[in-house]
Amino acid sequence: AQSVTQLGSHVSVSEGALVLLRCNYSSSVPPYLFWYVQYPNQGLQLLLKYTTGATLVKGINGFEAEFKKSETSFHLTKPSAHMSDAAEYFCAVILSGGSYIPTFGRGTSLIVHP
Amino acid sequence: DGGITQSPKYLFRKEGQNVTLSCEQNLNHDAMYWYRQDPGQGLRLIYYSQIVNDFQKGDIAEGYSVSREKKESFPLTVTSAQKNPTAFYLCASKKTQSGNEKLFFGSGTQLSVL
């Protein structure tokens, strides 16, 4: 079975501060990992993904994430928060060799203060 | 432009009524998914379909039904058996059932009970 845990339902930062959103997964096989962003009353859009190769992946809007197998983590970071980053962020995992059904974490709401 | 269209954006259900949420995609994707989103619970899978005329139950299928008669369409019916239908419903699609591809999402339907 696969599962995704996002630590912290809400994260609050000041504009210009570092953004760190945490995601841990459980899997006995190599995972495919994704971060999606959702703005109010909209669907989700992909920020970045890890499939194979380089463990540090860069996405849109200045976000990046690092796959750490030893820690079963895929934390999302951005060096400097912008007001427009305020949104809900979801981590998702797909297991290789299975039915390839995405499983989502519960989401983290990012609040950016001026 | 290609994409996924969900309609209506807002829907109200009366007691004992069945309602159908529409999901249409022109991306030529094989796989389609329905998720339910409740505050603080992330996205939970209701049904998915990886090919026309075939679909599978997800984690919370009770009280819901789907059909996949055409590649482009994957409507979701919320039946009267679903006792707590108020939620935001998201339809998504993926090109194939492989693991390394992202999901494309519609903009969602907010269902409320009158």
Side-chain angles (χ1 to χ4, degrees):
Chain A
Q2 63 192 47
S3 71
V4 181
T5 302
Q6 291 184 240
L7 294 176
S9 58
H10 294 83
V11 170
S12 182
V13 300
S14 298
E15 191 173 19
L18 171 71
V19 175
L20 171 60
L21 305 182
R22 300 177 185 274
C23 173
N24 289 88
Y25 66 92
S26 65
S27 170
S28 56
V29 298
Y32 299 106
L33 295 159
F34 304 78
W35 275 101
Y36 289 86
V37 61
Q38 182 183 33
Y39 298 100
N41 298 314
Q42 294 185 28
L44 282 67
Q45 55 184 284
L46 182 71
L47 272 178
L48 49 78
K49 66 177 181 179
Y50 168 79
T51 55
T52 59
T55 56
L56 180 64
V57 292
K58 296 184 184 298
I60 62 172
N61 302 337
F63 284 94
E64 61 182 40
E66 186 172 11
F67 169 57
K68 292 187 176 181
K69 185 179 178 180
S70 61
E71 299 178 7
T72 61
S73 70
F74 191 56
H75 301 331
L76 182 70
T77 60
K78 181 174 180 178
S80 177
H82 192 273
M83 296 296 289
S84 61
D85 294 327
E88 189 87 14
Y89 291 81
F90 292 92
C91 182
V93 62
I94 296 176
L95 296 186
S96 57
S99 60
Y100 301 114
I101 305 301
T103 297
F104 286 83
R106 294 194 169 206
T108 298
S109 179
L110 177 63
I111 301 162
V112 183
H113 298 286
Chain B
D1 288 339
I4 298 183
T5 301
Q6 288 188 242
S7 62
K9 191 165 181 66
Y10 300 96
L11 186 59
F12 296 91
R13 194 191 86 168
K14 295 180 181 178
E15 200 74 35
Q17 185 182 40
N18 293 353
V19 292
T20 297
L21 284 61
S22 171
C23 178
E24 302 278 332
Q25 54 99 358
N26 60 3
L27 299 166
N28 199 33
H29 286 177
D30 287 319
M32 297 187 74
Y33 308 82
W34 273 106
Y35 288 92
R36 170 176 170 146
Q37 184 177 15
D38 296 278
Q41 295 198 45
L43 277 67
R44 293 182 290 167
L45 183 65
I46 305 173
Y47 269 97
Y48 65 98
S49 168
Q50 293 175 329
I51 195 169
V52 175
N53 292 322
D54 186 54
F55 49 83
Q56 306 295 329
K57 292 182 179 180
D59 300 319
I60 56 165
E62 186 175 351
Y64 300 96
S65 66
V66 294
S67 63
R68 187 84 187 276
E69 298 176 359
K70 298 187 300 182
K71 189 174 186 178
E72 303 80 19
S73 180
F74 191 40
L76 173 73
T77 296
V78 184
T79 75
S80 57
Q82 172 50 244
K83 298 306 180 187
N84 183 25
T86 296
F88 192 56
Y89 290 85
L90 286 163
C91 180
S93 71
K94 190 150 65 80
K95 186 175 182 181
T96 68
Q97 62 187 53
S98 64
N100 60 353
E101 294 176 10
K102 70 175 185 179
L103 285 169
F104 289 76
F105 283 85
S107 56
T109 294
Q110 176 65 50
L111 176 62
S112 303
V113 177
L114 287 175

